[in-house]
Amino acid sequence: MLSFIRGEMQAITSRRNLLHVLTALVAVVLIAFAFYVLHRFTENVSLQQVMDDIRQTPTRSIVLAFLTMTTSFTAIACYEMLAVRLVAPGRIRLRTAAWAGVAGFALSDAIGFHVLTGGALRYRIYSRGGIEFSSIGQIIFLSWMCLWLGVGSLIGCALAFQPEGVHQLVPVPVFVLRAIGVFILIVFLAYFVWIATGSRRIAFRGMQVTLPGLRVGLMQLCAGFFDVGASAATLYVLLPADIAGSPGSFFIVYISAVILGTASHSPGGLGVFDATVIAGLGAGGRSDVLGALVLYRVIYYLVPVIPVIIVMLATELFHGGRAIKGGIGEIGRVTQPLLPPLAAGLTFAAGFALMLSGSIPVDWSGHEWLKSNLSLAVFESSHMLASLVGLALIIVSHALLRRRRSGYYAVLGLLLAGALFALVKGMNLYLAAGLVVIFLVLLPFRDAFYRRSGESVFAVTPFWLMLMLVTLASAVWLGLFAHRNADFAGDLWWQFGWNSGASRFVRSAFVMVVAVFALGLFMLLNRRRVAAGAGDAIPESVRRLVAHSPKAETTIALLGDKSFLISPEENAFLMYGASGRTLVAKGDPVGDRSEGENLAWRFRELADRDGYRPAFYAVGTEYLPLYVDMGLSVLKIGEVARVDLTGFTLEGHGKKDLRHAQRRAEKEDLSFEIVPSSDVLPIMPSLRRVSDSWLSGKSGTEKRFALGNFDEPYLLNFDMAVIRRGDEIVAFANILRGSGHEEMAIDLMRFVPGASNVVMDFLFAELLLYAQSEQYRWFNLGAAPLAGLADHPLATTWNRIGTQIYKRGEDFYHFEGLRSFKQKFDPVWTPNYLACSGGFAAPQALLDITTLISGGRLNVLRK
């Protein structure tokens, strides 16, 4: 069942994975080529020359760079305030919006992967303020639109008014460049005329975005113009006057470097941005240009992110312990969950610093006493171990991001080890002190890392592995740059000595490359497996609550493949299972309502503690407000058909197929019988034969978790409806009963292929009449997948995808046929929902759920 949905979700996930792989490959190619270009352009430059040029930079240039950087981030704050006023007016304070914009752009500029860093940070801040996921997406979109309005307008102005400078870089006639610039400006003018003539909405990745009016649109343009112009000016004022050229030509080079750096996803466009600027300005071999780029990175990337981290750590430290009022108090409240990402960032930076220190030659002046107190073997070993500790910190910082307790303890130990090795390998006091400071900063926040997952601390995502490759490439390039006069083709590998810095760098780099390769192999061979069919023993309290539940579907708890959360008073339970990275609750909590809410929160906490996505599968409307309060998104996955037995009859034109089935069954010598549960064991071999015959005609395997399977201990709990031809059983179904005669349903319904064309109609007709004679109120016919989804251009992306699958998927699964079969009984249709994490996590959660039901990833694609 639901095989086509599972196939579609697998296909969607596969396409997303392929897109991620292609994006990563493009990024790796860009980074590799950029470091090659940097290496070629800096062949005749030494590290000492770069440091000398940095020290000789005029104070006036540095002050101007700080002013332009401040102007840029002020404009970024305006981005966010304008977007929030447009999308969520009055729901978020403007100072909080300004903080979200500045902090988000500062982190994403410094770390890279803009959606996963700045976007995630803003999602945290806005979701804590009660803003919906779709609205957050619109805020981020409008904020980025400001940026690209500024980029486009400045490119148009540069080409239209100063094409000569661009002509020196690109061999295109001046009049063509000017025409392109004028065309861009005309397009911008047309855009503003368009938004001035009425309300405008556009669709972006399934999200409906309301564009601003003319007044706000012009304010967005100004903010973008000042931001991009000021960020470019930060580098422009630091460059030597003879190389910067005209502002127009420089801006084209600068924005090209920004775009390529963003595409590479490396932290701050590391390597790619620098290589593009050097190549575009023709500054190969210029140590002063390299010095300007280093200063630019410090001023524009490092300086803004430091106060962001300090403020977040400070508000976390004092949150709850002191009364903080006003805007700072609100910032502290909304940034409280951001401590793990910040701790991960600090740890990552510490590891990167250790790796870079292994690439730079050690200055032995003033440290001669180390030679007399340490053996050469200890010194050489500490150098390599420091680099490996740096790599380990970068790896384990991913565990901090996942809030894992084991990662927290590992990081504390690695920081102290790194500080020790930094001292032993060259008395690097500043680095050792920095590592100890980070250790002391993390020490009070143990409770923030509460997850106790059984995964290894070295289990990282492909994204994190790529980030490690970027940092490793940076460290290796810096080492090659610092030791460019060494003979790497000789016996450098085997030289050991106090002054053999190049040899130590080569050995450390080789060991780190091998370690990263080993980690990638470890990831490939140790992927998290699907947990299917392994549940707890069924407690007596669960059996009792199932017997007293009015909902027949709760008897699926007796299947034996689920785990349970049970309230202290044993008057409510929740059943669940694990699949991939999703913890799946089957249905709503069963039993007392207030205790059920507590169990739902316990389940949410359990998923969070162990690093799972929480999902509540096949739920009704009763608990939906609670799931929304948990921050989950609600997706409609179909409708459930329930027949009102108080007025049910086989009379009437709509029931003629059922009456025909009864007449045909009588002619074919078919009879209907209810076998009590106490008498099921003797007929179990016959039921097994029918089930095996039915399964032989299916390409898939037995389902589980949300659907019953042929498990003898499970089936012995139920009365059995059987159809016989003579004495031979040709079809059966186990009967599920709700308490108080509220509801009856069936779970397994299996028949011998070819037994009769009317066997299903006959079985259901007799079952409904039997349930009516037993004075049951409802008969549950089960779910119709994807039925009843909203088919409207403004509906959610999931509704539109589900509707298209429902309409066009008949060749794979009879969606409309199943609903039509159930419709002949005149049922009442009620919605069926899935509550899970929103955004990009929802497709993965759906795939994990269908994998759990199917029993494995390969079975997902089978009918």
Side-chain angles (χ1 to χ4, degrees):
M1 192 174 181
L2 297 181
S3 58
F4 182 66
I5 300 176
R6 291 190 283 271
E8 283 296 302
M9 295 314 303
Q10 176 77 27
I12 292 171
T13 303
S14 298
R15 287 195 292 270
R16 286 183 58 232
N17 291 338
L18 178 61
L19 179 61
H20 290 168
V21 170
L22 292 176
T23 302
L25 287 176
V26 170
V28 169
V29 169
L30 278 174
I31 292 166
F33 182 72
F35 279 111
Y36 169 76
V37 170
L38 274 178
H39 181 68
R40 294 298 302 270
F41 283 167
T42 59
E43 285 181 337
N44 300 318
V45 179
S46 69
L47 184 61
Q48 188 59 47
Q49 288 176 314
V50 175
M51 299 305 296
D52 291 340
D53 285 322
I54 291 175
R55 283 190 286 267
Q56 294 171 12
T57 303
T59 304
R60 175 178 174 274
S61 297
I62 294 176
V63 172
L64 285 175
F66 270 95
L67 290 175
T68 53
M69 178 271 291
T70 304
T71 302
S72 175
F73 277 91
T74 301
I76 288 172
C78 293
Y79 286 0
E80 209 78 8
M81 290 189 289
L82 289 171
V84 166
R85 286 188 63 182
L86 189 65
V87 176
R91 299 177 62 186
I92 290 288
R93 294 184 181 181
L94 292 183
R95 55 180 165 233
T96 302
W99 164 255
V102 170
F105 273 92
L107 283 178
S108 59
D109 284 345
I111 299 174
F113 291 89
H114 293 75
V115 173
L116 296 175
T117 51
L121 185 148
R122 281 135 96 190
Y123 173 77
R124 280 286 192 181
I125 293 176
Y126 292 134
S127 62
R128 298 278 293 186
I131 306 299
E132 302 81 7
F133 180 82
S134 59
S135 298
I136 296 172
Q138 294 179 52
I139 292 171
I140 295 174
F141 175 83
L142 290 171
S143 184
W144 275 89
M145 194 173 78
C146 291
L147 172 64
W148 291 109
L149 283 173
V151 170
S153 61
L154 280 169
I155 289 177
C157 291
L159 293 176
F161 300 112
Q162 284 193 335
E164 296 82 6
V166 180
H167 174 69
Q168 297 174 5
L169 303 174
V170 183
V172 176
V174 171
F175 75 91
V176 174
L177 294 173
R178 192 184 301 276
I180 294 173
V182 171
F183 175 76
I184 292 174
L185 295 179
I186 290 174
V187 169
F188 270 79
L189 180 62
Y191 166 76
F192 286 108
V193 171
W194 182 57
I195 63 174
T197 55
S199 178
R200 303 295 182 183
R201 294 174 65 88
I202 61 172
F204 178 75
R205 294 186 176 181
M207 175 177 62
Q208 296 291 326
V209 180
T210 301
L211 295 177
L214 178 61
R215 177 173 169 272
V216 176
L218 290 174
M219 293 171 67
Q220 287 184 316
L221 175 65
C222 291
F225 192 93
F226 277 101
D227 167 35
V228 179
S231 64
T234 304
L235 177 58
Y236 187 80
V237 299
L238 292 170
L239 287 169
D242 64 314
I243 201 70
S246 68
S249 60
F250 169 77
F251 179 76
I252 296 296
V253 172
Y254 176 83
I255 203 62
S256 300
V258 169
I259 293 172
L260 289 175
T262 302
S264 73
H265 292 297
S266 63
L270 189 63
V272 178
F273 175 87
D274 312 88
T276 306
V277 169
I278 292 173
L281 297 179
R286 293 286 297 265
S287 61
D288 50 356
V289 173
L290 280 175
L293 285 168
V294 172
L295 276 175
Y296 168 76
R297 289 195 171 280
V298 170
I299 295 173
Y300 197 80
Y301 292 105
L302 187 59
V303 170
V305 83
I306 288 175
V308 168
I309 293 174
I310 291 174
V311 169
M312 289 183 174
L313 286 175
T315 52
E316 174 67 24
L317 183 63
F318 293 105
H319 178 75
R322 297 183 181 180
I324 305 175
K325 299 179 180 181
I328 295 296
E330 183 176 356
I331 291 172
R333 178 179 63 84
V334 299
T335 58
Q336 184 183 12
L338 295 173
L339 178 65
L342 291 173
L346 286 174
T347 304
F348 192 100
F352 193 26
L354 270 173
M355 289 174 62
L356 292 181
S357 71
S359 302
I360 301 173
V362 176
D363 182 9
W364 281 99
S365 59
H367 302 312
E368 291 296 327
W369 65 271
L370 276 178
K371 295 182 180 180
S372 59
N373 291 278
L374 288 179
S375 66
L376 180 61
V378 171
F379 171 73
E380 291 280 2
S381 300
S382 65
H383 194 284
M384 182 177 295
L385 289 172
S387 297
L388 285 176
V389 167
L391 180 62
L393 281 170
I394 290 175
I395 296 171
V396 181
S397 60
H398 181 265
L400 290 188
L401 196 62
R402 299 282 186 186
R403 300 176 174 84
R404 290 178 42 207
R405 180 64 59 84
S406 58
Y408 171 76
Y409 288 127
V411 164
L412 292 182
L414 288 169
L415 287 171
L416 292 179
L420 176 62
F421 292 137
L423 292 174
V424 175
K425 78 185 188 74
M427 291 301 293
N428 195 331
L429 297 176
Y430 293 113
L431 179 57
L435 296 175
V436 171
V437 167
I438 295 175
F439 171 87
L440 294 175
V441 167
L442 296 182
L443 198 57
F445 299 111
R446 187 189 66 165
D447 291 342
F449 306 94
Y450 50 82
R451 291 177 176 168
R452 300 179 183 273
S453 169
E455 268 189 331
S456 167
V457 293
F458 295 107
V460 298
T461 61
F463 152 70
W464 209 261
L465 183 63
M466 180 185 159
L467 200 58
M468 289 162 46
L469 288 172
V470 173
T471 55
L472 180 58
S474 304
V476 171
W477 176 82
L478 181 61
L480 293 173
F481 177 71
H483 301 285
R484 62 172 60 256
N485 296 323
D487 182 13
F488 290 100
D491 59 351
L492 193 66
W493 290 69
W494 321 115
Q495 292 179 5
F496 296 90
W498 295 99
N499 295 313
S500 300
S503 300
R504 287 189 291 274
F505 156 69
V506 169
R507 288 191 291 270
S508 298
F510 175 75
V511 171
M512 286 192 294
V513 169
V514 170
V516 171
F517 175 79
L519 179 66
L521 191 62
F522 173 83
M523 289 172 53
L524 182 65
L525 299 177
N526 292 274
R527 292 174 294 178
R528 178 180 258 178
R529 304 298 180 185
V530 174
D536 298 340
I538 303 172
E540 285 302 317
S541 58
V542 169
R543 293 183 181 275
R544 175 175 50 80
L545 288 167
V546 167
H548 288 85
S549 173
K551 297 181 179 179
E553 64 182 0
T554 59
T555 53
I556 200 71
L558 306 179
L559 190 58
D561 62 352
K562 299 173 185 65
S563 299
F564 300 97
L565 290 177
I566 303 173
S567 66
E569 290 77 16
E570 297 188 347
N571 59 354
F573 76 89
L574 183 146
M575 47 187 157
Y576 68 94
S579 175
R581 288 187 54 208
T582 305
L583 204 64
V584 187
K586 171 58 181 78
D588 295 310
V590 178
D592 181 79
R593 172 59 190 262
S594 61
E595 289 297 327
E597 291 184 355
N598 292 333
L599 288 176
W601 278 112
R602 278 178 56 191
F603 174 80
R604 181 75 171 87
E605 293 164 358
L606 175 66
D608 183 61
R609 186 195 69 193
D610 291 342
Y612 286 97
R613 307 181 192 91
F616 293 84
Y617 174 70
V619 298
T621 58
E622 183 181 3
Y623 283 85
L624 285 188
L626 176 65
Y627 303 144
V628 172
D629 289 343
M630 291 179 178
L632 302 179
S633 295
V634 177
L635 307 178
K636 187 176 181 180
I637 56 175
E639 292 183 320
V640 175
R642 301 171 75 226
V643 179
D644 186 350
L645 297 176
T646 57
F648 178 74
T649 176
L650 292 184
E651 301 300 322
H653 178 74
K655 305 295 195 314
K656 64 178 182 179
D657 290 342
L658 302 179
R659 296 194 299 273
H660 170 71
Q662 286 185 315
R663 292 193 298 270
R664 281 285 304 274
E666 184 178 355
K667 292 179 181 180
E668 295 178 8
D669 194 28
L670 298 178
S671 61
F672 175 82
E673 177 186 354
I674 300 295
V675 179
S677 59
S678 58
D679 297 333
V680 168
L681 185 59
I683 67 171
M684 193 65 72
S686 297
L687 301 182
R688 169 73 70 179
R689 176 185 54 79
V690 173
S691 178
D692 291 345
S693 178
W694 184 83
L695 285 172
S696 66
K698 306 295 179 180
S699 61
T701 59
E702 288 268 35
K703 305 306 183 222
R704 62 200 72 210
F705 189 72
L707 302 169
N709 53 66
F710 197 94
D711 178 73
E712 291 190 12
Y714 172 66
L715 294 177
L716 290 173
N717 291 292
F718 308 103
D719 296 343
M720 202 68 61
V722 299
I723 295 180
R724 300 179 187 266
R725 176 177 281 117
D727 293 331
E728 179 188 6
I729 296 177
V730 295
F732 74 88
N734 61 317
I735 299 176
L736 314 181
R737 300 175 186 266
S739 69
H741 290 256
E742 176 66 19
E743 183 180 64
M744 182 182 288
I746 63 171
D747 185 11
L748 266 67
M749 190 200 73
R750 296 186 174 176
F751 55 88
V752 176
S756 172
N757 292 331
V758 298
V759 65
M760 287 182 64
D761 283 351
F762 177 55
L763 178 60
F764 272 100
E766 293 295 331
L767 274 170
L768 266 70
L769 291 174
Y770 168 73
Q772 188 180 52
S773 68
E774 292 285 300
Q775 299 183 346
Y776 277 85
R777 174 75 172 81
W778 296 93
F779 191 95
N780 192 325
L781 296 172
L786 301 183
L789 271 64
D791 185 14
H792 191 279
L794 298 181
T796 64
T797 303
W798 163 249
N799 274 269
R800 295 200 303 276
I801 292 175
T803 300
Q804 292 305 311
I805 295 174
Y806 182 82
K807 290 179 178 179
R808 306 177 189 277
E810 283 296 305
D811 293 338
F812 299 89
Y813 184 83
H814 300 297
F815 294 103
E816 292 189 1
L818 178 62
R819 193 182 196 282
S820 297
F821 173 78
K822 296 180 179 181
Q823 184 61 45
K824 70 175 66 174
F825 299 98
D826 293 330
V828 176
W829 294 96
T830 56
N832 200 23
Y833 294 103
L834 166 68
C836 64
S837 302
F840 296 121
Q844 187 60 57
L846 282 164
L847 181 60
D848 285 341
I849 292 168
T850 53
T851 299
L852 180 61
I853 295 172
S854 299
R857 287 288 171 96
L858 293 178
N859 296 329
V860 166
L861 297 177
R862 298 173 181 169
K863 292 186 180 181

